[in-house]
Amino acid sequence: RIIVLKRKIDSVQKQRNIHRKGRSNLGLPVLALVGYTNAGKSTLLNYLTRAGVMAENILFATLDPTTRKVKLPGLKTHPEVLLTDTVGFIQKLPTQLVAAFRATLEEVQEADVLVHVIDSSSDVWENQERAVKQVLAEIDSGDKPVVRVLNKIDLLEADAAEDLQYEAAMMSDHSVAISSVTGEGMVDLVSTIEDALMGLLVPIEVLLPYTNGKEVNMVQEVGHVEEIDYRDDGTYILARVPQAIANRLQPFDVNQEVEEANASKDEIDWVAIGRGRHAKKETEDVQEF
């Protein structure tokens, strides 16, 4: 039976690899919802996407990662993102369960930004937060950008909820207090996610031929366009995009032509200097003779 289960896990892993490859081709940033079990990750995903994912107060209710393409309202940096729900973490994950969680943990490793959902109504939420951070460190994902979501403020007293929202807004990291049931704080959540995503983008300055309309649309869909100008020789774009898109557009970089021209100029100058030195030396040799 164990062998059969391992084969099924390997099969799931292969399917996940195929799906991840397909998602990477889209060029959209991936946000992974992580958190202690029953923190409200699936409820948050349901609110944002109406995905209908099982959201029950049961240990490990979500074992199979669920990914949805989402257009978050008000999100300017990346109008569309991929949201992935993952299994709820627990303290001291049993060794025999690690293999079963491998697929969902790999989704965490492949994510661009982690949305750490915390049950702020729990008396031990700080311990739970530390437990999640420990697991993230163990799977080499502790250094990823994190949006810290203090969820379930609808279960707090009105004054306590208001104080928590204020404290989250004043924190230096990407923190926000929300209710994934009532939707309170969702505008702040989108803004906080945008701040985190902005740190993933790199600047580009390209001139795309009019035959490359597909690339222009790609930049507008997954990037943050600061300037666009339709010129005689193509479309000029000044924007910030994910690194993968920047690499793909490298041949159209307007600064590359300048750098190549300068490099070519420097090379000619060196040749000229070299010839000048040789000529001078030959002259000196003749004089000495």
Side-chain angles (χ1 to χ4, degrees):
R1 186 177 179 181
I2 294 177
I3 294 176
V4 173
L5 289 174
K6 287 183 177 180
R7 288 176 179 174
K8 288 184 178 180
I9 291 172
D10 291 337
S11 176
V12 170
Q13 186 179 24
K14 290 179 181 178
Q15 291 296 323
R16 291 297 168 192
N17 290 336
I18 295 174
H19 293 164
R20 277 195 292 271
K21 185 176 181 180
R23 293 198 298 265
S24 64
N25 292 335
L26 294 175
L28 298 177
V30 178
L31 310 180
L33 298 172
V34 301
Y36 206 80
T37 187
N38 299 328
K41 299 181 301 301
S42 295
T43 306
L44 177 58
L45 180 68
N46 289 342
Y47 185 93
L48 295 174
T49 68
R50 304 304 179 189
V53 179
M54 176 170 46
E56 301 178 15
N57 192 29
I58 311 174
L59 190 65
F60 309 140
T62 308
L63 181 58
D64 183 44
T66 302
T67 301
R68 293 289 183 270
K69 185 178 179 182
V70 183
K71 187 170 185 178
L72 297 178
L75 195 62
K76 299 177 182 178
T77 304
H78 284 287
E80 293 182 328
V81 298
L82 295 176
L83 269 178
T84 297
D85 190 15
T86 63
V87 66
F89 294 4
I90 63 171
Q91 289 179 316
K92 298 180 180 179
L93 186 67
T95 305
Q96 60 269 30
L97 293 179
V98 172
F101 294 152
R102 183 169 56 184
T104 188
L105 294 181
E106 286 176 353
E107 296 295 328
V108 173
Q109 292 173 322
E110 296 294 329
D112 297 304
V113 174
L114 303 181
V115 180
H116 184 180
V117 184
I118 303 167
D119 180 3
S120 63
S121 68
S122 172
D123 294 334
V124 292
W125 68 264
E126 292 177 324
N127 292 336
Q128 294 175 351
E129 181 181 13
R130 282 193 291 269
V132 172
K133 287 183 177 180
Q134 182 178 349
V135 174
L136 292 176
E138 291 174 354
I139 61 175
D140 298 325
S141 298
D143 58 347
K144 288 182 177 291
V146 176
V147 173
R148 188 166 169 266
V149 181
L150 299 169
N151 192 27
K152 300 188 180 183
I153 61 173
D154 57 292
L155 299 181
L156 302 177
E157 296 293 336
D159 291 342
E162 185 176 349
D163 290 343
L164 188 60
Q165 287 181 299
Y166 177 77
E167 291 175 6
M170 296 302 294
M171 292 178 181
S172 58
D173 58 0
H174 301 300
S175 294
V176 61
I178 70 161
S179 168
S180 55
V181 173
T182 66
E184 185 176 1
M186 287 299 176
V187 174
D188 294 334
L189 172 61
V190 172
S191 178
T192 305
I193 290 176
E194 186 164 37
D195 289 342
L197 289 174
M198 199 64 179
L200 300 175
L201 306 183
V202 296
I204 62 166
E205 188 177 5
V206 296
L207 183 63
L208 297 170
Y210 286 115
T211 54
N212 293 76
K214 181 179 179 180
E215 283 73 16
V216 175
N217 293 334
M218 179 176 57
V219 172
Q220 292 176 323
E221 289 177 1
V222 305
H224 179 65
V225 178
E226 299 176 3
E227 181 181 348
I228 184 168
D229 185 23
Y230 299 98
R231 301 178 178 178
D232 294 338
D233 51 350
T235 305
Y236 168 84
I237 300 179
L238 180 66
R240 299 181 68 88
V241 298
Q243 185 64 59
I245 303 301
N247 295 339
R248 192 183 306 182
L249 299 178
Q250 183 64 34
F252 306 102
D253 188 353
V254 297
N255 297 314
Q256 183 177 358
E257 297 181 0
V258 176
E259 293 174 357
E260 289 178 352
N262 291 336
S264 177
K265 182 179 179 181
D266 291 341
E267 183 179 353
I268 295 174
D269 289 342
W270 278 112
V271 172
I273 292 173
R275 289 176 178 174
R277 287 175 178 173
H278 291 312
K280 183 177 180 181
K281 183 176 181 180
E282 290 174 357
T283 304
E284 289 176 351
D285 291 341
V286 170
Q287 291 177 352
E288 290 177 359
F289 179 77

